[in-house]
Each structure stands twice: as structure tokens, then as C-alpha cells.
Amino acid sequence: IAKKSGVNYLFHTQSMTATTADRLALELRLREAFDKDEFTLYYQPKVNIASGKMVGAEALIRWNDPHIGLIQPDTFIPILEEIGLINEVGRWVIKQAIKDYLSWREAGLNAVRIAVNVSSLQLRNRNFADDIEQAIASDPRVAAGLEIEVTESVIMGDVEQSVEILQAIRDLGIPITIDDFGTGFSSLSYLSRLPLDILKIDGAFVREMHTEKGGKMVSTIILVAHALKLKVVAECVETEEQLLQLRKLDCDQMQGYLFSKPVPADVFEKQFLSLS
Ligand code: C2E
Ligand code: CA
Ligand code: CA
Ligand code: CA
């Protein structure tokens, strides 16, 4: 019964009709899923626009439910955050990304830096920077294999503390990306104060880029980012036109279905990694 209502709940996640019982069932199911190792990482390449070469990848979590199949993170990440399981799952994500990266290195492949998404509760956790420091201490190659993506809203929750933690991570040689840029309310003064390396333009701007205003928005964001010495990535690039426009605007990197959808680790390895 728990499983069945969990399933029901999943298909009505955004609706207000989910009952408390459904909700409870889903929570239990998520805890069980974590214990049973049902989460998996997909990888999506990040490509240098000038060279056309892959320069990194983003790890994106999926829940592989044996009965439902693959479930997208927008459905369950908010619930993991609410029930306090996001720290454990987030730690697993970083561990798994490091594991995959090191196994590619072991195999002599040209492994690229893996960016992991970090939610606000994770960033607020005092142990977060320590966890990463420990991972690097156990294998120094980790520093070249990891990158952190945080959204504007995550940082804005507590700017002072975010700056401190992000700086500590950056000091370890891990680049920091500000994700979904333009969707939050951070001001330019914050942008210049934050310890950042890369700015990722939100997909909503890329989608509107063909309009006059949309094009101006993207070109302005790129100019500001470059003035602050940040590299710029455009996400959700789906068309050749968008790519051409981004190249003209001097955008550094792109990510999106035009190049590849996120794929499972073994597919990523076969399709995108070669012997170095
Ligand atoms: P995000 O970090 O902004 O990730 C980009 C999302 O856009 C991904 O959705 C990706 O699959 C999708 N995408 C990539 N290229 C295209 C494209 O060309 N067109 C379109 N329409 N979409 C594209 P996904 O994988 O469903 O992830 C959704 C969100 O879930 C992520 O947004 C991120 O905020 C969160 N998330 C994913 N994995 C993790 C994780 O391990 N930890 C945490 N805390 N959050 C995660
Ligand atoms: Ca991201
Ligand atoms: Ca994003
Ligand atoms: Ca997003």
C-alpha cells in the first residue's frame, strides 16, 4: 500500500490534492530508496564553444525506482530537503561523482572535471567543506576532478556564511559555479563579492535569446561576467542558432541537448571519454 500511494503521489507532486498519507508514504519510500542504492548519477557534457571540445560535465541525480523507472530530480529533491535526507544524499552524490572520476582516471581516460549540484541545506552544513577536504586528502587527484554548482537563492539564504564556506572550498582548488544565474535576486554588488569562478546563464534566458530583448540580456550578462573575470556557461542550448549567437557573444561554454542529453555513467564513458 505504501508503495502504491507513493507512486500516486509522485504523479501528482505539484497538485494540492496529495494527502498526508501519500506524503508519508513517499517519504518512507525515499528513505528506503536511499538505503537500497536506487539513486544514480547521469552526466551531461560541458563544451568549450570556441574549440567544440568537452571541458567538463555536470552530474545530475536520477532515482531509478524498480517499478516506476527513472524519476527526475525536480520531483524528489525538494522532498529530500524537507525530510532532512538531502545531506546524506548530497554526500552520496559527491562520493559517487569522485568515484566515477577516479575510475576514469584509473582506466587512463581523459576524465574531465565533474560539477555537482549543492542544495542550500548542504551548504549550511558545517561539515560540508570538511567532507570535501577529506576526499582530497585521501586522493589529491580529486581536486582536479570536482566543481561545485550553487544557485543564487542558495547563496542569498545566508550570504556571509556562504562566502565563508565557498571560499574554503575554492581554496582547496575546487571551482565554484553560480547556477541558474538571473533567476534570483542577487545584486551586482553581491556578484562581485562572492568567491566564484563560473557563471551559468539560466536556460530561460537562452530560450529567449532570439528576441531583441532576450539577446541583449544574454550579451549583458556575458559582459558583466567577463568584467568580473568569470567564465560563462550557457545551459539548455538546444539549437544551432543559439550556439552561433552565443559564439558571437563570446560565451565560453555551453551545455544542452544540442550536444548531448544527460546520460548514464557508462554511456558517458563510452561516448565522450577516450584514452588520454
Ligand atoms: P539544474 O542544475 O539547473 O540542471 C539543469 C537541468 O536542465 C537538468 O535537469 C538537465 O537535465 C536539464 N537540461 C540540460 N540540457 C537541457 C536542454 O537542452 N533543454 C532542456 N529543456 N533541459 C536541459 P534535471 O537533470 O532534471 O535536474 C533538475 C534540477 O534538479 C537541477 O537543475 C538541479 O537544480 C537539481 N539537481 C539535479 N541533480 C542534483 C543533485 O545531485 N543535487 C541537488 N541538490 N540538486 C540536483
Ligand atoms: Ca546545475
Ligand atoms: Ca541551471
Ligand atoms: Ca534549474
Side-chain angles (χ1 to χ4, degrees), residues 3 29 38 63-69:
K3 187 155 284 158
R29 185 63 197 97
E38 289 174 6
W63 172 12
N64 203 350
D65 182 293
H67 303 284
I68 305 176

Side-chain angles (χ1 to χ4, degrees), residues 45 102 120 125 129 133 150 238 242 276:
L102 289 176
S120 80
N125 189 320
E133 196 170 355
V150 282
E238 296 180 347
Q242 290 167 338
S276 55

